[in-house]
Amino acid sequence: MRRYLLALLLPLLSACTSTPEPSIQVLQPVQTAPYETFSVRAVRASGHRMDLEQRFNQAVQNALSAKGYRFTETQPDMQVIYALGLEQETGIELAPVAVGGTVYTQTRATEDERARLALRILDSETQAVLFQAQINRQLHNPDMSQENFDRGVAEILEDFPTAR
C-alpha cells in the first residue's frame, strides 16, 4: 500500500545526522475544534509540479469528503496547502550477470524520479497547524493515475479525524 504514496512527495525536515532520514514524517492531527469545511490550494514553491495539481486536489477532496468534510472555496473551516514535486535523479542498479559459469556484478546508471510532498492542514481562523505530512521518496516506476493519487492521499490522511 505504501507504493501508492510514491506519487505524493516533498523534502523532510532535517534529521539528526546519526540516524537516517525517514521517508515519511507526519505531525499528529489536532482535535480541538469542530471543523466541517475545507479548501485546497497548491503552494507553487520551487520544484512544484503544476501538471499534477488537478489529480492531487481531487485526491484531497475525495479523502476529506470520505471523512465527512465538505469542500468549499469560500470561508472554509480548514485550509489544505501543499507543494508537490518530482525531479530526475540518477541512480545505480547492480545486477548479476553469468558469463561462462562465473557470475559478475554489472553496474549501470538508471534514471529515476524523486518525489516530494509537503502538506499542511491549517485552521482558517487562527492558522494553527492541524495536520502536517512531509514525504520524500525515490520512484522507480511512477504511476500517476488518479486512483493512485486517491489511495496515497487517503493513506496519508488516515489518522486525520472525521468531521463532527
Side-chain angles (χ1 to χ4, degrees), residues 31-100:
Q31 302 178 21
T32 58
Y35 299 100
E36 295 178 3
T37 60
F38 69 95
S39 66
V40 181
R41 179 174 55 93
V43 177
R44 295 187 175 146
S46 177
H48 177 75
R49 288 278 303 268
M50 291 174 38
D51 60 319
L52 302 176
E53 279 185 23
Q54 183 178 4
R55 281 176 275 174
F56 192 81
N57 288 352
Q58 187 62 51
V60 170
Q61 289 178 33
N62 293 345
L64 289 177
S65 293
K67 290 185 166 283
Y69 298 99
R70 288 186 332 271
F71 174 77
T72 183
E73 292 190 20
T74 58
Q75 299 181 345
D77 299 324
M78 302 179 298
Q79 299 172 344
V80 179
I81 60 172
Y82 70 92
L84 175 63
L86 292 174
E87 63 184 30
Q88 289 296 114
E89 178 177 80
T90 301
I92 295 177
E93 184 177 275
L94 303 174
V97 177
V99 178

Side-chain angles (χ1 to χ4, degrees), residues 85-123:
L86 292 174
E87 63 184 30
Q88 289 296 114
E89 178 177 80
T90 301
I92 295 177
E93 184 177 275
L94 303 174
V97 177
V99 178
T102 304
V103 177
Y104 297 95
T105 301
Q106 179 182 30
T107 305
R108 56 176 213 157
T110 61
E111 287 299 318
D112 295 320
E113 289 186 283
R114 178 150 298 272
R116 295 184 174 112
L117 168 70
L119 177 138
R120 281 188 173 177
I121 301 177
L122 307 172
D123 180 296

